[in-house]
């Protein structure tokens, strides 16, 4: 096992790498993101509470330093403090605000200040040993997205020090479901072009949306807008689940109008198209609670209501009307929410959503509270 002195040597190499790193270390020494000495003292309580044994390399590292945060070229990394470790771990009877059921057998101990969380496999459920270090997307925590990043904690530190933090494996890659879907273009061609009533409705939608675009552009609400078919490669037209439940109006608006849009007032979001939209609705970024919904946008800047402190990150529609406001009603929800009841009903349809932005109205951030 590596000693605390060996960890100190490799950390010293990292901290002396360049002037920027030295400055970062001084800042984090003065204000530690994760008080590791306190965490070391808390280790026995943590192991007892979660009925596990943490890797010795991890404990030894904590002996070596008291303020650790690495800022790599492509990744960032920091260790949770004691409070966050309790918050992010929900194992069996234990509770945590940010845990997902898929992670109940694992132990999350750090993050990259972005999409990923790092964790151990203390009961060797994955068969790579209890010292192995893994990471996973925080929004999904699905097994097929587990990434094996190091055989032990010392190797992880070495990778960050040597800027090799992108060197990882995906041992469960073959478990990813093979996705066969239907392109939006195919759906529209089959179900819209020969439906004169629907085409008339969509035409009216188009005119109204263009009006809203003009208002938002004039008022500086839109930062970026791409509203023509030629803004993306048609060979990569995104594909969706085989379903007839997704409102054709919504599909049409996404296909023809809002490939990517960013709003600068109050709320920002961009539509997720091509591979990203597939992932959101049927792949590694989807949440179990949204599997019957259709997520069409991801909020780039979260909305916080000071009264309820409710944060929302996704816009979605309810194709099968589970929530009782119709199949075209627009909702938004916090990515880490575990209950669909925490979603907010924000617009009667996607055109109404654009009206709200164009007219400068506030989005409703009151959770619906119950499934109707």
């Amino acid at each position: 096992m590596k000693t605390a002195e060996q960890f100190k040597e490799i950390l010293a190499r990292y901290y002396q790498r360049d002037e920027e790193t030295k400055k970062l270390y001084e800042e984090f020494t003065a204000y530690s993101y994760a008080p590791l000495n306190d965490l070391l003292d808390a280790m026995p309580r943590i192991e007892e509470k979660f009925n596990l044994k943490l890797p010795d390399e991890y404990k030894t590292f904590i002996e070596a330093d008291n303020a650790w945060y690495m800022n790599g070229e492509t990744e960032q990394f920091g260790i949770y403090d004691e409070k966050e470790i309790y918050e992010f771990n929900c194992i069996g009877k234990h509770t945590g605000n940010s845990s997902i059921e898929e992670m109940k057998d694992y132990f999350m101990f750090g993050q990259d200040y972005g999409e990923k969380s790092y964790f151990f496999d203390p009961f060797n459920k994955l068969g790579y040993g209890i010292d192995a270090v893994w990471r996973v997307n925080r929004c999904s925590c699905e097994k097929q997205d587990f990434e094996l990043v190091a055989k032990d904690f010392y190797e992880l530190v070495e990778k960050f020090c040597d800027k090799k933090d992108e060197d990882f494996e995906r041992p469960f890659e073959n478990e990813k479901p093979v996705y066969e879907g239907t392109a939006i273009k195919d759906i529209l061609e089959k179900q819209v072009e020969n439906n004169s009533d629907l085409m008339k409705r969509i035409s009216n939608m188009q005119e109204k949306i263009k009006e809203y675009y003009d208002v938002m552009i004039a008022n500086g609400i839109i930062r970026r807008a791409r509203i023509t078919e030629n803004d993306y490669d048609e060979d990569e037209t995104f594909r969706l689940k085989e379903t007839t439940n997704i409102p054709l109006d919504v599909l049409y608006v996404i296909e023809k109008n809002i490939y990517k849009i960013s709003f600068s007032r109050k709320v920002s979001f961009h539509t997720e198209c091509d591979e990203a939209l597939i992932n959101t609705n049927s792949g590694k970024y989807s949440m179990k609670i949204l599997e019957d919904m259709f997520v069409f946008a991801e909020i780039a800047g979260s909305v916080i209501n000071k009264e309820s402190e409710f944060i929302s990150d996704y816009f979605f529609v309810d194709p099968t009307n589970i929530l009782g406001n119709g199949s075209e009603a627009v909702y938004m929800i916090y990515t880490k929410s575990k209950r669909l009841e925490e979603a907010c009903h924000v617009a009667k349809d996607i055109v109404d959503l654009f009206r709200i932005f164009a007219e400068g109205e506030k989005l409703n951030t009151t959770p619906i509270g119950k499934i109707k």
Side-chain angles (χ1 to χ4, degrees), residues 302-312 334 342 344 365-367:
S302 296
V303 182
I304 302 178
N305 181 294
K306 291 183 178 179
E307 295 182 0
S308 64
E309 295 185 346
F310 184 84
I311 306 174
S312 302
Y334 180 38
E342 293 177 3
C344 301
T365 55
T366 303

Side-chain angles (χ1 to χ4, degrees), residues 15 19 78 113 122 148 160-161 231 283 343:
Y15 292 138
E19 291 301 319
Y113 296 81
L148 181 62
F160 275 95
C161 289
D231 283 314

